[in-house]
Amino acid sequence: MGIAALGGCDAIVFTAGLGENSPEMRAKIASGLEYMGVEIDAEKNAKRGTVDITGANSKVKVFVIPTNEELMIAKDTAALIAASSAAFRSCWATLLL
C-alpha cells in the first residue's frame, strides 16, 4: 500500500458517491485501517455534510467532505470555452491584418 511507502498519513477524506453517502462503507473501510491507528466515531459517522468523524483515540484525522462534480465540470468547461474564444479572436484578428 502507498501509505506504508509514505510512512503513514495525516488524514483520510471520504468523498463522492459511497464515501460521502454511506456511513456503513466508511466504517468498513476504517475497520480495515486499524493497524494505522485509524478510528472513527460512530455517532459522528452517522451525520451528513462536511464532518470530522475522527475517533477519540485515532492517530489519523478522518473527514467526510461532499463533492460537487457538476460544478467542477461546468467551471472547467467555461474555462475551456473562454480560452478557445480568446484564441479564435486572436487568430481571426491576425488574418484580418
Side-chain angles (χ1 to χ4, degrees), residues 91-97:
C91 180
W92 186 251
T94 302
L95 289 173
L96 291 177
L97 295 177

Side-chain angles (χ1 to χ4, degrees), residues 75-93:
K75 285 182 174 184
D76 289 346
T77 301
L80 286 171
I81 291 170
S84 297
S85 296
F88 177 77
R89 283 191 302 273
S90 175
C91 180
W92 186 251

Side-chain angles (χ1 to χ4, degrees), residues 6-94:
L6 295 172
C9 71
D10 298 320
I12 295 173
V13 178
F14 290 99
T15 190
L18 286 173
E20 183 179 334
N21 300 306
S22 179
E24 298 84 10
M25 187 58 69
R26 293 191 297 263
K28 187 173 185 175
I29 292 168
S31 71
L33 300 174
E34 290 170 339
Y35 72 96
M36 291 177 21
V38 174
E39 177 188 298
I40 62 173
D41 181 294
E43 188 175 315
K44 292 177 186 176
N45 188 37
K47 297 180 181 177
R48 295 189 53 84
T50 301
V51 185
D52 178 347
I53 62 171
T54 306
N57 299 312
S58 186
K59 294 178 178 147
V60 178
K61 298 292 282 180
V62 186
F63 301 95
V64 177
I65 301 177
T67 58
N68 189 340
E69 290 99 348
E70 293 84 2
L71 176 61
M72 293 309 300
I73 291 168
K75 285 182 174 184
D76 289 346
T77 301
L80 286 171
I81 291 170
S84 297
S85 296
F88 177 77
R89 283 191 302 273
S90 175
C91 180
W92 186 251
T94 302

